[in-house]
Amino acid sequence: MKGPLFYSKILLFGEYGIIKDSKGLSIPYNFYNGALKVAENPTESSIKSNLSLKRFADYLEQINPELVTFDIATLKADVEAGMYFDSSIPQGYGVGSSGALVAALYDQYAQNKITVLENLTREKLIQLKTIFSEMESFFHGKSSGLDPLNSYLSIPILINSKDNIEATGIPSQTADGKGAVFLLDSGVVGETAPMVRIFMENMKQEGFRNMLKNQFIKHTDACVDDFLKGDVKSLFKNTKQLSKVVLNHFKPMIPLQFHELWQKGIETNEYYLKLCGSGGGGYILGFTEDIDQAKKSLSDYKLEVVYNF
């Protein structure tokens, strides 16, 4: 048995903001992927994955049947036979490792599933997102359902607000463009749940809520609009502002050793950094108008270009 591949994702804009109804833009990232398999010769990692699937199967059995039902008998039989999720997607890196797993299980075992081939109305997208949110909560405590949605559909998704999402096209890349979006490897694994807890704790303060609305969400929404319009000049102006806001108000989500690097980008305009996913480690997302210059400035780090302007 070998299931179809499900890809990682990158939330270009919208981390934390989408919890409070900012816009967001999520794109598939085909560099990493995962698929359900049955192990011929179990390894330590496949055994670990299999045990996690066992617990997940028990959880899926409890999900509200009015929302979604699964062929639990087949799922449990496959897990007993040694099924695991064979994935190259790094965990705790903000690129949707649990999202791809959720998408794979829904695809394989959900009954009356919504398929990628149907006319994906807004209602169907919201329904899928709700199902995925419920499924992925097993891993994170609270999930928006966006990562699995992106992985399942493998198309860019524009989030206008919680109840308004749509499949979208993004401007095609310029192969020899100097501008780029890149991933910077922090070398540390991040955990989503503690970061979300810090955010929710901060949300109790009026000052933080105002900052979120008047600065963070304002610049996030502008970045999404600029990116989709292909207005690169305005995009970099807004990304710089966003990078500043994150450095000033989301410090716990940025690994300590990157505070200086973050500031340096803002001062030199050689690159701007932002969170990729919930932060705390994993990847950091970078935007630059000159990728060669950024590579020089960040020569001590591993960079992966994900999009060229």
Side-chain angles (χ1 to χ4, degrees):
M1 166 197 164
K2 181 166 175 355
L5 287 178
F6 289 91
Y7 296 106
S8 54
K9 64 83 213 170
I10 293 172
L11 184 62
L12 283 181
F13 301 104
E15 70 293 332
Y16 290 107
I18 52 176
I19 298 178
K20 292 294 158 202
D21 259 5
S22 81
K23 287 191 175 187
L25 181 63
S26 182
I27 60 171
Y29 182 42
N30 298 357
F31 188 71
Y32 296 118
N33 56 57
L36 292 168
K37 288 185 184 173
V38 171
E40 305 279 307
N41 305 300
T43 61
E44 197 182 326
S45 68
S46 71
I47 290 167
K48 201 172 147 192
S49 168
N50 175 261
L51 285 172
S52 169
L53 280 181
K54 241 181 209 134
R55 292 192 296 275
F56 194 29
D58 291 338
Y59 172 83
L60 294 179
E61 202 170 6
Q62 311 301 320
I63 280 185
N64 177 359
E66 282 173 23
L67 183 64
V68 60
T69 55
F70 297 93
D71 181 352
I72 293 288
T74 306
L75 168 57
K76 288 196 164 177
D78 289 345
V79 170
E80 279 306 312
M83 183 173 75
Y84 69 107
F85 191 56
D86 182 26
S87 168
S88 65
I89 308 170
Q91 289 187 358
Y93 263 67
V95 284
S97 54
S98 59
L101 168 59
V102 166
L105 282 172
Y106 177 83
D107 180 65
Q108 188 80 19
Y109 300 101
Q111 291 169 324
N112 309 316
K113 68 179 181 187
I114 296 168
T115 71
V116 186
L117 302 171
E118 327 181 4
N119 172 18
L120 287 167
T121 58
R122 189 168 290 169
E123 286 68 36
K124 282 183 187 164
L125 283 173
I126 292 290
Q127 194 188 342
L128 268 175
K129 182 174 171 290
T130 309
I131 290 168
F132 289 149
S133 163
E134 196 62 37
M135 288 174 73
E136 201 184 27
S137 293
F138 171 76
F139 298 100
H140 295 320
K142 184 173 172 31
S143 155
S144 68
L146 269 173
D147 288 3
L149 184 65
N150 204 297
S151 192
Y152 184 62
L153 300 175
S154 220
I155 45 180
I157 290 165
L158 169 64
I159 302 108
N160 294 303
S161 65
K162 268 197 197 73
D163 306 319
N164 181 350
I165 54 176
E166 56 188 296
T168 187
I170 57 174
S172 50
Q173 302 196 45
T174 322
D176 50 359
K178 286 182 77 170
V181 181
F182 60 87
L183 291 174
L184 180 71
D185 188 345
S186 73
V188 203
V189 172
E191 278 190 60
T192 300
M195 294 297 126
V196 173
R197 272 202 301 278
I198 293 170
F199 175 76
M200 289 307 193
E201 204 49 47
N202 287 342
M203 282 302 289
K204 292 175 184 171
Q205 300 159 20
E206 193 185 348
F208 187 85
R209 287 199 303 273
N210 289 340
M211 173 281 302
L212 198 76
K213 186 167 134 227
N214 301 326
Q215 296 176 47
F216 188 78
I217 288 178
K218 186 180 106 180
H219 295 308
T220 296
D221 287 0
C223 284
V224 171
D225 293 341
D226 291 341
F227 189 91
L228 291 176
K229 280 201 303 248
D231 186 342
V232 177
K233 201 172 165 211
S234 181
L235 173 68
F236 279 100
K237 207 176 85 202
N238 281 305
T239 305
K240 180 176 185 173
Q241 294 307 319
L242 191 55
S243 186
K244 275 187 191 166
V245 172
V246 172
L247 184 59
N248 291 334
H249 299 281
F250 288 79
K251 272 219 167 78
M253 285 75 168
I254 304 170
L256 198 58
Q257 62 274 38
F258 288 93
H259 290 188
E260 220 169 287
L261 210 61
W262 204 286
Q263 183 65 39
K264 187 184 153 206
I266 294 166
E267 285 169 9
T268 61
N269 296 314
E270 287 170 354
Y271 56 85
Y272 305 125
L273 300 179
K274 63 182 289 298
L275 297 172
C276 179
S278 56
Y283 285 119
I284 292 168
L285 205 50
F287 287 74
T288 179
E289 290 184 83
D290 183 345
I291 187 61
D292 296 328
Q293 179 59 57
K295 279 180 175 166
K296 255 188 227 141
S297 305
L298 300 164
S299 58
D300 294 346
Y301 300 90
K302 210 170 85 194
L303 253 64
E304 282 171 37
V305 173
V306 294
Y307 187 91
N308 284 100
F309 295 106

